[in-house]
Structures are given as C-alpha cells and as structure tokens.
Amino acid sequence: MNKDIATPVRTKDILKKYGFSFKKSLGQNFLIDTNILKRIVDHANLTEESGAIEIGPGIGALTEQLAKSSKKVTAFEIDQRLLPILSDTLSPYDNVNIIHGDVLKADVKKVIEEEFAGFSDLMVVANLPYYVTTPIILKLLSENLPIRGIVCMLQKEVADRIAAKPGTKEYGSLSIAIQYYTEAETVMIVPKTVFMPQPNVDSAVIRLTKRVQPIVEVLDEDFFFIVTRASFAQRRKTILNNLTSQLQDGKAKKELILAALEAAEVDPTRRGETLSIEEFGRLSDALLPNFK
Ligand code: SAM
C-alpha cells in the first residue's frame, strides 16, 4: 500500500530528497493533511467516470486523492522544479497527466478537448496559489469551458467576497462576476496548521457550481461587468454618483443615467451593495443604448 503524500513526515522526506525550497512568489503552501484533502475531493462529487483538472499540483498531495476518486486527472504546474518530483510521487497512478506551464496563459479549452474527449463530467479541483486566485477563477469561468464547476481552496477573505449576498459589506463586483456564472458556497474553513509552510491568512474551500440557466439574461455581458464595477468604485457613494463619475461621459449624460435607473426601477440614492444581480442586469440593459 502507498503511503499518502500529504503527511508532515512524507512531505518533509520528499522535500529533503529533492532539496526543494518553497517559492513564496508562486504561492507554494502545500497541504499536509490527508483528511482535509479527502474532504475537499468529497465536495467535488466525483465518480469513477469523472475527469478532474487541477491547478498547481505541488508535490502531488491533492493530485493523488483526485487520481483515486476519478477516471483521469490533468494538472497544470508552473514550477519546472516540481516535474521530476511529481513523476516520482505520482508513479503509482497511471491516470495522471501533468502539463508544465502557467494556467493563465494556457489554452484550457484545447487541453480539455485533447485530454478529456468523451468525458461527460469534468470538475476543476485545486488548492490555488493565493497570489492569483481571482484571475484563475475568472479565466476558468469566462472561457465557457465544459466543466460542472470548481472546488478550490483560497484565502477566506476572498471566499467571503465571492459568496457574499447583497446588503453585506463583502458583496461587490467580484461576488457578482462569479455568481453570474455559478452558485457559490463556502463548504469548509481550513486552519493554517494543515499547510507547509503555513500561510499568513486564513483559508476556505468554496464550491462554484455552474448555472444551467443564467441568473440574468443581459444584452451585453462586457457592459454588464463595466456597470457593476463602476457601481462599486466608491462604496460609500450612491449608485447615481458612481455611475456619473465612472461611466464614459457620465457627467454629461447624468439625465440619461437617471432615466435608465428609473426604467430599471432602481432608486438613484441606493448604494451598489444593495442591488441584486437581477437589478444590475436590468440597469445595464437600460444604460446600454446610451453608452455603447
Ligand atoms: N496542490 C498542492 C497542495 O495542495 O499541496 C500545491 C498547492 S500550492 C497552494 C499552489 C501550486 O500552484 C504550487 O505548486 C505552485 O507552483 C503552482 N502555481 C503557482 N502559480 C501557478 C500558475 N500560474 N499556473 C500553474 N501553477 C501555478
């Protein structure tokens, strides 16, 4: 029987054997608790027919548990020094493929076509590098990939913002950008002690399940995101003030913005954080003819 990779002793042995030193700049905090890893994988609801895509396998701690719970795992790893380690630690598994490269630069759609032809269920599961959590998630969601969703570890503070509901102080353009594509829920809070080295921030695992039906149908997605970002530019300002100061020629078009707010049934004195995604959808469609 193989010893799991994710124990403090085995991890230290592997690091020592290869003389590996952590690169903080690559967000390298490895998980050393097999129970936590199994619980993360459970939240992805994989079957033996599922495909799993991992970002940043490190020394293979999560990859190993994914290999045991799915048909195939393909993982993107940016750090070349980890490649020989991974081929050693994951040698007991014949259903794992590691791709060397930056996931932010990768053509993930093409990789899925090549690696997972014929798969009907695909999940992204990852302990993300914290310096690029948001760009990675937004890339995976905006590229319309054939995935069921994402289960990932990230900073708790970012998880709180992603899953936030209107009317809370965490709710903002990031909550909307992600909830536009997915249903977002925090499924685990994870202590610092299960990482090597321990990160400075608290961590959480979120599950993002792609929506079958969009939460709102908007005329222009790009403009919808422009409007949501503009509405939160200064949280203490009203939506009217934010839109006039942020949208192109907003000051000159104040009357048109007021008319759009009225058409969308949004009181101009409200703050962005009180609007639901549906209300932002109506507002963006009402503003669109005068701003694009
Ligand atoms: N999955 C391992 C675990 O849970 O122990 C390691 C997770 S560690 C938080 C993040 C990993 O992502 C590191 O292995 C790091 O080298 C890798 N990484 C960082 N930036 C990346 C990028 N842009 N593309 C792919 N991998 C990246």
Side-chain angles (χ1 to χ4, degrees):
M1 215 186 95
N2 300 311
K3 274 189 288 168
D4 285 309
I5 297 168
T7 65
V9 172
R10 176 103 198 269
T11 302
K12 272 189 202 140
D13 283 350
I14 295 167
L15 300 177
K16 193 166 163 215
K17 177 172 171 191
Y18 288 91
F20 183 85
S21 52
F22 294 102
K23 269 197 191 157
K24 216 176 168 187
S25 61
L26 290 179
Q28 292 178 336
N29 301 93
F30 296 168
L31 279 164
I32 50 165
D33 185 319
T34 304
N35 284 330
I36 295 273
L37 285 160
K38 287 186 172 156
R39 283 174 54 205
I40 296 173
V41 174
D42 280 349
H43 283 298
N45 296 322
L46 301 171
T47 73
E48 50 197 30
E49 296 306 313
S50 304
I53 300 166
E54 189 189 353
I55 320 294
I59 59 169
L62 176 58
T63 328
E64 170 176 64
Q65 302 305 327
L66 291 170
K68 289 182 190 171
S69 305
S70 67
K71 190 167 181 183
K72 181 176 180 185
V73 190
T74 296
F76 294 89
E77 176 53 62
I78 198 170
D79 188 348
Q80 186 151 23
R81 300 173 307 152
L82 289 165
L83 302 190
I85 306 183
L86 286 163
S87 58
D88 177 4
T89 57
L90 297 174
S91 60
Y93 306 96
D94 60 6
N95 59 343
V96 175
N97 188 23
I98 308 291
I99 296 178
H100 177 221
D102 180 346
V103 70
L104 288 173
K105 295 190 183 138
D107 186 342
V108 182
K109 200 172 239 171
K110 189 155 157 253
V111 168
I112 290 178
E113 278 164 20
E114 289 167 359
E115 297 278 318
F116 295 103
F119 279 67
S120 59
D121 183 53
L122 269 184
M123 273 303 268
V124 175
V125 186
N127 170 17
L128 290 175
Y130 290 179
Y131 75 106
V132 274
T133 320
T134 313
I136 292 176
I137 296 176
L138 286 174
K139 173 184 163 93
L140 296 172
L141 294 180
S142 62
E143 289 185 350
N144 200 19
L145 305 172
I147 55 173
R148 174 161 52 88
I150 303 175
V151 169
C152 63
M153 174 98 73
L154 69 180
Q155 308 92 306
K156 182 177 174 301
E157 175 258 325
V158 180
D160 289 345
R161 281 165 46 213
I162 286 176
K165 299 280 172 249
T168 62
K169 70 175 187 332
E170 290 82 12
Y171 181 70
S173 54
L174 181 65
S175 329
I176 296 170
I178 293 189
Q179 293 176 35
Y180 176 75
Y181 299 108
T182 67
E183 261 180 71
E185 51 190 326
T186 299
V187 290
M188 283 168 71
I189 306 293
V190 180
K192 292 176 185 167
T193 48
V194 299
F195 296 89
M196 187 185 288
Q198 293 188 15
N200 298 326
V201 293
D202 291 326
S203 300
V205 175
I206 54 166
R207 177 166 55 202
L208 305 174
T209 307
K210 275 188 53 184
R211 296 182 188 280
V212 184
Q213 290 292 327
I215 188 165
V216 282
E217 298 269 9
V218 292
L219 296 170
D220 184 319
E221 263 181 26
D222 291 340
F223 186 65
F224 169 73
F225 291 124
I226 290 172
V227 170
T228 57
R229 279 196 300 272
S231 305
F232 289 98
Q234 285 190 268
R235 294 189 73 95
R236 295 167 60 81
K237 278 191 176 182
T238 64
I239 186 129
L240 175 63
N241 283 346
N242 268 327
L243 292 174
T244 47
S245 66
Q246 298 296 318
L247 292 179
Q248 204 173 359
D249 300 326
K251 288 202 175 66
K253 293 181 176 174
K254 188 170 176 183
E255 289 309 313
L256 294 170
I257 294 174
L258 270 167
L261 283 160
E262 191 176 358
E265 294 174 32
V266 175
D267 184 325
T269 63
R270 283 171 66 186
R271 288 187 183 157
E273 67 201 42
T274 69
L275 267 70
S276 66
I277 299 184
E278 291 85 346
E279 287 178 309
F280 274 116
R282 288 205 305 266
L283 180 57
S284 144
D285 283 358
L287 287 164
L288 184 71
N290 292 309
F291 286 92
K292 248 204 156 173

